[in-house]
Amino acid sequence: TDKPWLYTSWYQGLRQATLTLGEPQALRFAPLATAPSLDGRLADGEWPAEPTATLTASKSRFYCGQQGQVLYLAATRPSIIDRLGKTMKWNPRAAPADSIIDRDEGCEFYLSDASQSLVVHLAVLVNGARYDALVKDDGKPNLKWNGDWQSAVVADSTAFTVEVAIPLAMLTELG
């Protein structure tokens, strides 16, 4: 367009915005001494002391580990503070399984094979609802695919935390 514009919500006088697009980050799964209890809480000793990855803007921390034949993922994001300094409540909209998740608060994980021709897309919403899909080369999600994985979530006034357990057998079966 010949008339550039910026749209913001809750901000006045914004004159410039910067958008940084990054490549997906490959994460390593460290061996875990014991399997974490899937309760949506990052208990001391269950996960490494330092996160595997951190998103600077949201202060979200991600943890990856493996115990036996199971991969474990955890993510935690501090509660959002509004422009008046108040903690915003999480939106626990009751979304049905495998529904559109882009309008909901949640955490998404993408796991792919080495060639990136097959992607497992998992998501857990703040209310515990889950989404899973298998995406092949055509880019269309197969919502009929239902993986054998488990999750737990806690969304309270301090943070939104999700823990996920993915059996290696589920990924092996996919190829």
Side-chain angles (χ1 to χ4, degrees):
T1 178
D2 61 348
K3 298 189 191 242
W5 56 272
L6 293 173
Y7 171 80
T8 62
S9 179
W10 294 78
Y11 290 98
Q12 293 179 345
L14 185 66
R15 298 188 191 285
Q16 177 179 341
T18 302
L19 175 64
T20 304
L21 300 175
E23 289 294 315
Q25 185 178 355
L27 304 177
R28 293 188 173 269
F29 286 79
L32 299 173
T34 59
S37 58
L38 289 183
D39 57 7
R41 302 187 185 284
L42 303 181
D44 289 341
E46 286 188 336
W47 295 95
E50 292 298 316
T52 309
T54 302
L55 297 179
T56 342
S58 67
K59 298 181 182 144
S60 299
R61 297 183 321 269
F62 293 87
Y63 300 85
C64 302
Q66 180 178 352
Q67 201 334 292
Q69 295 298 305
V70 181
L71 298 178
Y72 292 93
L73 296 164
T76 186
R77 177 191 176 145
S79 293
I80 300 166
I81 308 299
D82 71 12
R83 66 186 179 101
L84 300 175
K86 294 182 181 177
T87 302
M88 295 178 64
K89 292 183 179 180
W90 300 105
N91 179 10
R93 184 177 84 88
D98 289 338
S99 71
I100 305 285
I101 58 169
D102 60 350
R103 292 184 209 108
D104 299 306
E105 292 177 319
C107 182
E108 297 177 77
F109 300 100
Y110 295 87
L111 303 149
S112 79
D113 61 356
S115 67
Q116 297 185 352
S117 62
L118 184 65
V119 176
V120 173
H121 181 185
L122 307 175
V124 183
L125 304 181
V126 295
N127 65 1
R130 298 178 353 155
Y131 168 95
D132 57 6
L134 188 60
V135 183
K136 296 188 178 181
D137 286 331
D138 62 6
K140 296 178 184 174
N142 175 356
L143 298 178
K144 292 181 181 177
W145 177 80
N146 288 303
D148 178 25
W149 58 289
Q150 299 173 346
S151 64
V153 63
V154 170
D156 58 24
S157 63
T158 62
F160 164 52
T161 303
V162 61
E163 292 179 303
V164 173
I166 305 163
L168 282 174
M170 179 185 91
L171 301 175
T172 305
E173 289 171 7
L174 296 172

